[in-house]
Amino acid sequence: MTRSTLPLAASDLHIMDGTRRNSTLICAPVVADSVDQMLVQMGKAKEVGADLVELRVDFLKNFSPRQDLSVLIKQSPLPTLVTYRPAWEGGQYKGDDKQRQDALRVAMDLGADFIDVELKVADEFYNSIQGRKPEKVKIIVSSHNYEKTPSAEEIGDLVARIQATGADIVKIATTGLDITDSARVFQVLAHSQVPMIGLVMGEKGLISRVLSAKYGAFLTFGTIEAGVVSAPGQPTVRDLLDLYNFRLIGADTKVHGVIGNPIGHSKIPHLYNAAFRSINFNGIYLPLLVDNVANFIDTYNSPDFVGYSYTIPHDDAGIKCCDEIDPNAKEIGAISCMIRNPADGKLKGYNMDYLGAIAAIEEGLQALNGSSNGSGSPLAGKLFVVIGAGGAGKALAYGGKQKGARVVVANRTYDKAKALANKVGGEAITLAELENFHPEEGMVLANTTPVGMKPRIDQTPLSKNALKNYSLVFDAIHTPKWTRLLQEAQESGAAVVSGTEMFLNQAFVQVEKFSGSPAPKQLIRDVLARNA
């Protein structure tokens, strides 16, 4: 059986137009405890752009199969998938399984487009219907693993077992313990000869839900509202369509992303995906929750995985995975961006942090002084204190040295501060010493640590009392835009520069490096303003 023989091909739904590059459908789970609430949610599912709805009838209280399914199926504004998930497969139903299967047979009789039957009872279910099934109805036979993602070979064997039941569509859902788990599902999806749904649950499996369109999955799931999920890690329908440009993903779409941990707070995908769409670049940009950078790079080594940005805590790790390093990044000793050469597949590392941050600080100093410092940098001759000796700290210290500043590195671990200070001809102190560090007036401070980043917005790397010694304070954090450090610096009389400006400058350069086209700068600024 091929996908073209199934109902709900994209062409049947009149959505395969010039703006669509895949036939993967978006299914919105409907989870509510009453039929009336489900009807409301189905209307919302259509409004937000779903292609079909999954009626999770195991969530209904006082469920009366024939009566309730008749209303739900007949009044649904979208095609329906009926799922009555038992507790032993992660659902809500805890009753007699014969009654549960009876309800699924009723759903078929009443005109559901799809029903979901668990592999454990699939043979029993097929024996009970004895081949009597409305032509319109297609049976999804599913298997859910809530503990891990098996090997590709084991997943392949599982697909074969599901096919052997007579399933119209195969569904495999596993649990992501690492972002590389999705690669095994992609491998099976890409080679599947039957319509297949392959998903990895959990935050580390988000990549599987979005890139399902690239690898030819029959459908993916998106929630109607944020947080109201039927399985862990589901994005919203709106995010799939508007943030990730889901309809534009094709088999040849180039994959980019920001590597970090945590990463769910990042606004970078909003900017880059909007920019890619604006300039008609066939690429997608994802948040990549990575534990081990080398493992990630080794696993996703195909020519289509082409570009990455690096953030905390992986600022330093990326450089070890490069085949080649830009001279400035080599001097700094850290990269913020990595790009795969299409000719030979080699990965080259760049550092954009120092460009974005130093430009933002210079603009802040110029505004503070009322004019530029002739043809030189307003940082020249300034005492420039950098908090942190990680990737961003190295970039700022290097940038300060390049501009003629006298660099002081303050870090929790003195040895790391000393190593960086020696590299840029500067001075090293501990964070404890920084509290009373005041050799002169008009100093410039740059925080490159995650202290104060969302969700720990009540934290700050330096007391308000110490901030009165600085003329300008920069914070590399951009979520939130106004950190406690910046607020207290402003109250102490210092000029402040948000990490947002560094963030924007980086975005302009990286979009151009990833796409080969000029960045739509105003669009990027507007998107960030909307998502701040």
Side-chain angles (χ1 to χ4, degrees), residues 270-271 274-275 278-279 501 504-505 507-508 511-512 518-531:
H270 292 79
L271 275 61
S278 170
I279 60 179
E501 290 306 310
L504 285 166
N505 290 339
F508 301 155
V511 165
E512 290 179 5
K521 294 183 178 180
Q522 191 55 51
L523 172 82
I524 291 172
R525 284 189 177 276
D526 292 344
V527 172
L528 182 59
R530 286 199 303 271
N531 290 280

Side-chain angles (χ1 to χ4, degrees), residues 258-273:
V258 53
I259 292 174
N261 190 351
I263 202 63
H265 65 280
S266 178
K267 302 299 181 186
I268 304 178
H270 292 79
L271 275 61
Y272 287 49
N273 285 317

Side-chain angles (χ1 to χ4, degrees), residues 3-14:
R3 184 176 305 173
S4 61
T5 66
L6 289 169
L8 299 193
S11 53
D12 296 333
L13 289 171
H14 309 293

Side-chain angles (χ1 to χ4, degrees), residues 348-365:
K348 184 172 182 178
Y350 301 85
N351 193 301
M352 315 296 183
D353 283 349
Y354 83 101
L355 293 173
I358 295 298
I361 291 169
E362 287 180 323
E363 289 166 10
L365 286 171

